Amino acid sequence: MPIRSAYFSFALLAFATTAVLVDSAAQADDYPSHPIRLIVPYAAGGSADATARVIARQIGKATGHTIVVENRGGSASIVGTELVKNSDPDGYTLLLGQSGPISINPAVYKDLPYDPVKDFIPISLTSIYPYIMVVNRSLGVKTVHEFVALAKSKPGALNYGTTGVGASNHLLTELFDLKAGIKMTHIPYRGTSLAVADLVAGQVQVVFSDPISALQLVKSGTLVALAVTSKDRSPVAPDVPSISESGYPGFDAVGWHGILAPAKTPPAIIAKLNAEIVQALKEPETKALLENQAIQVVGSSPQEFADFIKQDLAVWKDVADQAKIEVK
């Protein structure tokens, strides 16, 4: 290629790149000019919905921007997640991501209509929480060791409740079964609250529950908390030992929430959203509201969140492969 032509091509490329950056910055300056939708891929009333509404309200208060929470549940959170994937990448439609749709669905669904890495841009990890292994007091066990001994004495006789085949607490319980060398019978439900209700009624013997669905029943003495699934004890239940310290070193699996945008959303808008979300999470009122949901506040950079998702994807793929769980 002649030098003049090469120079012209380089100059044209530089001009185009500069134009894109200027346009991106201009979009961020004008953003947002109308309400933002935060899609929750679950029905109203759960921990994801509660978290989304706290974050939306607090960001709105801090910035003067209106953020509207929309619940688009269905098909193991695939409906709402795919909606965001197919939305315009302009910063006006965001996803309240969670381990289920982002990290676990890719591990258990053969044909998923979205790619959690290619189709979304992480903005910020907002919160994490452990699952709590709870049993009915009438079962007569108070520790993980006692529970495992009971399960080994009655192979397949103990039932465990989950939020459905391929759900996070389904894989989590299967992971525990593998580590402990036990076999229990899976009873799927349409929600954690239903599984916990049957645990109270004695229809199932154990549930790995999100904290908000179980802690009040633990405090009232109806249920016994045997362990949390995080590697270390959790601030949401500091008196409850971890599975890792209960004889299974390295056991570490947590639930999480975070905000993501469709792929190709301008970097300047991602940066602006990240700054506003992280600042809102630092507010004492925000922390208090989320901690009241038994959730630990985080706040991260987009890159830190991307790295976290990569690690989480690997964890759940390994569990699904070992337990041979596949949803068709």
Side-chain angles (χ1 to χ4, degrees), residues 167-184:
S168 54
N169 55 359
H170 177 204
L171 270 72
L172 189 56
T173 313
E174 289 294 332
L175 174 61
F176 177 74
D177 278 10
L178 288 167
K179 297 284 188 182
I182 61 175
K183 182 64 179 176
M184 296 188 288

Side-chain angles (χ1 to χ4, degrees), residues 99 102-108 131 168 171-172 174-175 178-179 229 250-256 307-323:
S99 47
I102 300 299
S103 305
I104 294 174
N105 279 357
V108 299
Y131 292 89
S168 54
L171 270 72
L172 189 56
E174 289 294 332
L175 174 61
L178 288 167
K179 297 284 188 182
T229 61
F251 194 105
D252 185 20
V254 296
W256 55 267
D307 292 342
F308 176 88
I309 289 172
K310 184 178 179 180
Q311 293 172 0
D312 209 43
L313 279 163
V315 167
W316 293 115
K317 184 180 186 307
D318 185 54
V319 173
D321 288 347
Q322 287 189 59

Side-chain angles (χ1 to χ4, degrees), residues 115-165:
D115 184 304
V117 175
K118 295 179 181 178
D119 293 330
F120 300 96
I121 299 177
I123 300 173
S124 179
L125 177 66
T126 60
S127 49
I128 60 173
Y129 57 92
Y131 292 89
I132 300 183
M133 182 182 183
V134 286
V135 299
N136 191 300
R137 184 168 296 278
S138 64
L139 196 63
V141 300
K142 296 181 179 179
T143 67
V144 171
H145 177 76
E146 291 175 354
F147 180 86
V148 170
L150 178 64
K152 285 184 174 180
S153 71
K154 300 178 178 180
L158 300 187
N159 298 330
Y160 70 90
T162 75
T163 53
V165 175

Side-chain angles (χ1 to χ4, degrees), residues 14-53:
F15 175 79
T17 302
T18 302
V20 169
L21 292 174
V22 169
D23 183 58
S24 177
Q27 285 178 302
D29 287 341
D30 297 335
Y31 172 85
S33 59
H34 57 269
I36 298 167
R37 295 194 302 165
L38 179 57
I39 305 299
V40 179
Y42 296 96
S47 63
D49 179 60
T51 299
R53 293 182 187 280

Side-chain angles (χ1 to χ4, degrees), residues 3-308:
I3 293 176
R4 182 170 296 184
S5 297
Y7 176 79
F8 178 76
S9 298
F10 176 79
L12 188 63
L13 176 62
F15 175 79
T17 302
T18 302
V20 169
L21 292 174
V22 169
D23 183 58
S24 177
Q27 285 178 302
D29 287 341
D30 297 335
Y31 172 85
S33 59
H34 57 269
I36 298 167
R37 295 194 302 165
L38 179 57
I39 305 299
V40 179
Y42 296 96
S47 63
D49 179 60
T51 299
R53 293 182 187 280
V54 168
I55 292 171
R57 183 166 65 250
Q58 294 304 110
I59 295 175
K61 284 173 61 177
T63 65
H65 305 154
T66 301
I67 301 178
V68 180
V69 175
E70 291 186 18
N71 297 92
R72 296 295 185 93
S75 299
S77 69
I78 293 172
V79 171
T81 305
E82 188 179 15
L83 183 155
V84 177
K85 170 205 164 182
N86 294 329
S87 297
D88 291 334
D90 54 9
Y92 288 100
T93 304
L94 307 176
L95 175 70
L96 192 284
Q98 201 176 25
S99 47
I102 300 299
S103 305
I104 294 174
N105 279 357
V108 299
Y109 281 88
K110 194 170 184 179
D111 297 308
L112 199 61
Y114 61 84
D115 184 304
V117 175
K118 295 179 181 178
D119 293 330
F120 300 96
I121 299 177
I123 300 173
S124 179
L125 177 66
T126 60
S127 49
I128 60 173
Y129 57 92
Y131 292 89
I132 300 183
M133 182 182 183
V134 286
V135 299
N136 191 300
R137 184 168 296 278
S138 64
L139 196 63
V141 300
K142 296 181 179 179
T143 67
V144 171
H145 177 76
E146 291 175 354
F147 180 86
V148 170
L150 178 64
K152 285 184 174 180
S153 71
K154 300 178 178 180
L158 300 187
N159 298 330
Y160 70 90
T162 75
T163 53
V165 175
S168 54
N169 55 359
H170 177 204
L171 270 72
L172 189 56
T173 313
E174 289 294 332
L175 174 61
F176 177 74
D177 278 10
L178 288 167
K179 297 284 188 182
I182 61 175
K183 182 64 179 176
M184 296 188 288
T185 300
H186 180 207
I187 308 296
Y189 292 85
R190 295 180 63 185
T192 303
S193 60
L194 296 174
V196 170
D198 263 12
L199 177 64
V200 172
Q203 300 302 310
V204 295
Q205 283 67 55
V206 64
V207 172
F208 282 80
S209 171
D210 60 80
I212 196 64
S213 299
L215 280 181
Q216 287 303 318
L217 291 167
V218 171
K219 291 176 181 177
S220 70
T222 304
L223 299 178
V224 177
L226 301 184
V228 293
T229 61
S230 48
K231 185 176 180 180
D232 302 310
R233 295 196 182 202
S234 170
V236 306
D239 297 329
V240 180
S242 67
I243 290 177
S244 183
E245 71 178 278
S246 300
Y248 304 94
F251 194 105
D252 185 20
V254 296
W256 55 267
H257 302 118
I259 310 296
L260 301 99
K264 298 183 181 180
T265 299
I269 289 179
I270 296 296
K272 188 170 187 178
L273 281 166
N274 174 263
E276 292 179 350
I277 291 168
V278 170
Q279 183 56 44
L281 291 170
K282 290 179 180 177
E283 296 295 327
E285 183 181 2
T286 310
K287 293 183 72 174
L289 287 167
L290 288 174
E291 287 170 0
N292 191 49
Q293 300 290 329
I295 289 170
Q296 185 178 346
V297 176
V298 182
S300 73
S301 70
Q303 187 57 56
E304 288 169 338
F305 190 16
D307 292 342
F308 176 88

